[in-house]
Amino acid sequence: MKTVTLSIDGKKVFAHTGEKVLWAALDNGIYIPNLCAMRENSEEPMTACRLCFVEIEGYAQPVTACTEPVREGLEVSTRGERALRLARSGLELLLASHPIECARCPVNRACELQRMAAHLGIKLKTRRLRKFVHEFPIDSSSPLFVYDPNKCVLCGRCVFICQKLPGTPAIGFAHRGFDRRVTTCGDEPIGNRCGDCTECVSACPSGALVFKSRSPAADGS
């Protein structure tokens, strides 16, 4: 496979033809905020989170790094003000509908939202936007994990993983607008649809899916 040379934040990097800018950056230690991108998705990127904006020399507007393929001589900036403004606004919108209870969260200090907020220089408890948090019931019907849809950021990673596994997918997206969420067919308890697979838990970046051994919600605390 052909290799191309490009520049990201002034650093010369190498990548394979057809690879996306996002992976070229991450593989070379250059962080770009992202939630929905998955290497397992060799087809079209999900582009659900709209957070991985970068600026490219010669382009009129910022583009998402998960959709832009590398090419020889490409000059990419992950710290351009227009790209950062879009990423910050997107994250603030997510945080405005996300319960901020980090001290009690099982993924505290290992949460992608915390990492992005620190990278972008914004507070987790944003005051610029009105707080509007869901009040969905927590589903602890699985013997292995707990699903808290209130913490779901709709990145689609768990849905993608589930649909790639053999058999009928257990979860998918349902409803629209602010009520949109990941759920089972007919909103059945997730334990009724899932067996001993925990691939979705490993894919979740926000603490919406956590193992019961780590979750205070499992024992009602």
Side-chain angles (χ1 to χ4, degrees), residues 2-7 12-18 69-75:
K2 183 180 178 182
T3 299
V4 298
T5 305
L6 62 152
S7 169
K12 185 165 90 170
V13 303
F14 303 95
H16 296 301
T17 302
V70 299
R71 69 172 187 273
E72 185 66 36
L74 200 68
E75 294 187 19

Side-chain angles (χ1 to χ4, degrees), residues 20-116:
K20 304 303 183 185
V21 167
L22 177 63
W23 302 127
L26 296 178
D27 287 345
N28 285 274
I30 303 170
Y31 179 63
I32 299 176
N34 70 93
L35 284 174
C36 65
M38 301 183 72
R39 284 191 184 276
E40 296 90 337
N41 187 359
S42 59
E43 302 167 0
E44 286 299 314
M46 290 181 282
T47 65
C49 69
R50 312 299 293 174
L51 293 170
C52 64
F53 285 102
V54 296
E55 295 180 18
I56 295 180
E57 183 70 28
Y59 285 31
Q61 301 292 335
V63 296
T64 46
C66 70
T67 59
E68 187 67 27
V70 299
R71 69 172 187 273
E72 185 66 36
L74 200 68
E75 294 187 19
V76 181
S77 171
T78 72
R79 305 299 296 177
E81 190 52 44
R82 291 178 301 167
L84 289 175
R85 184 167 59 249
L86 287 171
R88 286 171 181 146
S89 296
L91 182 56
E92 284 181 323
L93 285 169
L94 280 178
L95 294 173
S97 60
H98 188 84
I100 306 300
E101 47 187 30
C102 300
R104 297 182 63 251
C105 183
V107 298
N108 186 26
R109 301 182 185 277
C111 173
E112 197 61 32
L113 296 179
Q114 291 175 324
R115 183 184 185 188
M116 290 191 298

Side-chain angles (χ1 to χ4, degrees), residues 129-151:
L129 300 174
R130 178 186 175 189
K131 196 74 177 177
F132 197 18
V133 180
H134 296 96
E135 295 183 356
F136 297 133
I138 296 174
D139 187 343
S140 58
S141 59
S142 166
L144 301 175
F145 60 86
V146 174
Y147 172 46
D148 184 350
N150 303 294
K151 293 182 180 179

